[in-house]
Amino acid sequence: MGYSGEPFRITTSYKHYKDALWVRDRCRAFGIQAEVDCYGIIELSQPEVVQRADAIVYQFINDEGEVSLLELFMRKDSFIRAHMHEEVEGRVDKIVSDLLASPSPDYRKHRLRDLETSLNHEHVVMFLLFKELQTFFNPSVRGVTVNSLGWIDFKDIWLQTI
């Protein structure tokens, strides 16, 4: 089974439209008929939109380390989970169970890498970019955290008198 010229649907949000166009152009350079569908964030989360997509260009903010990454792979409403075949889901579930049962951070990190490699090999997920975000602020500002959407939770911020 190979590519036979059918349109490759790239779905994204307005925020990532330019990135999706870049991916589309790279596909076209290799003779793949790629098209971009762009949606608002609420529309993009609708199951029928996710199911029509061959690929989704989106961001993932890993704000809580392995927990966030596992949630990305395990949540039933996850874009990634929605594109897994049943046998891949089974393998993912097995790796995650093994990972969660281990008290060793090094072992969990190793198994998480195995999971990511497996999903990449199965063509379920391909991380295009890893970007570390650093924040700087005045030392008197306390409670600054970045949530999973990349926003600062302003309700948690307070000022300490120095």
Side-chain angles (χ1 to χ4, degrees):
M1 182 168 89
Y3 179 69
S4 58
E6 65 278 2
F8 181 73
R9 309 275 354 142
I10 302 168
T11 300
T12 193
S13 66
Y14 295 110
K15 180 177 181 178
H16 300 288
Y17 183 66
K18 287 182 181 179
D19 297 322
L21 292 177
W22 183 89
V23 172
R24 179 204 64 192
D25 293 346
R26 300 299 75 74
C27 290
R28 287 180 176 176
F30 286 93
I32 298 169
Q33 183 185 340
E35 298 299 330
V36 174
D37 296 324
C38 197
Y39 296 94
I41 196 70
I42 293 173
E43 294 171 295
L44 185 59
S45 65
Q46 300 301 314
E48 59 275 5
V49 171
V50 173
Q51 288 304 317
R52 278 195 307 264
D54 294 310
I56 298 175
V57 175
Y58 197 70
Q59 74 181 24
F60 164 67
I61 297 174
N62 191 1
D63 62 335
E64 295 181 34
E66 66 188 39
V67 172
S68 293
L69 199 53
L70 287 175
E71 185 175 284
L72 180 69
F73 297 146
M74 298 303 294
R75 284 182 48 155
K76 298 296 181 198
D77 62 345
S78 163
F79 298 145
I80 293 173
R81 190 80 179 190
H83 283 91
M84 288 184 201
H85 298 289
E86 282 185 33
E87 66 182 52
V88 174
E89 277 187 27
R91 284 197 301 274
V92 167
D93 292 346
K94 185 177 180 183
I95 291 171
V96 169
S97 291
D98 180 48
L99 184 150
L100 291 175
S102 175
S104 166
D106 288 337
Y107 181 76
R108 288 194 309 268
K109 188 175 185 176
H110 169 76
R111 292 299 283 162
L112 199 53
R113 262 190 254 115
D114 287 348
L115 177 59
E116 197 176 311
T117 300
S118 174
L119 290 174
N120 189 289
H121 179 73
E122 297 283 344
H123 307 288
V124 174
V125 65
M126 178 175 43
F127 292 108
L128 298 176
L129 173 69
F130 288 93
K131 184 176 176 182
E132 188 172 312
L133 178 67
Q134 295 181 349
T135 57
F136 299 94
F137 46 87
N138 188 298
S140 65
V141 178
R142 301 292 184 188
V144 176
T145 58
V146 178
N147 67 23
S148 60
L149 298 174
W151 292 87
I152 294 173
D153 288 325
F154 290 103
K155 68 178 177 34
D156 299 329
I157 295 177
W158 55 279
L159 298 175
Q160 178 182 14
T161 306
I162 299 180

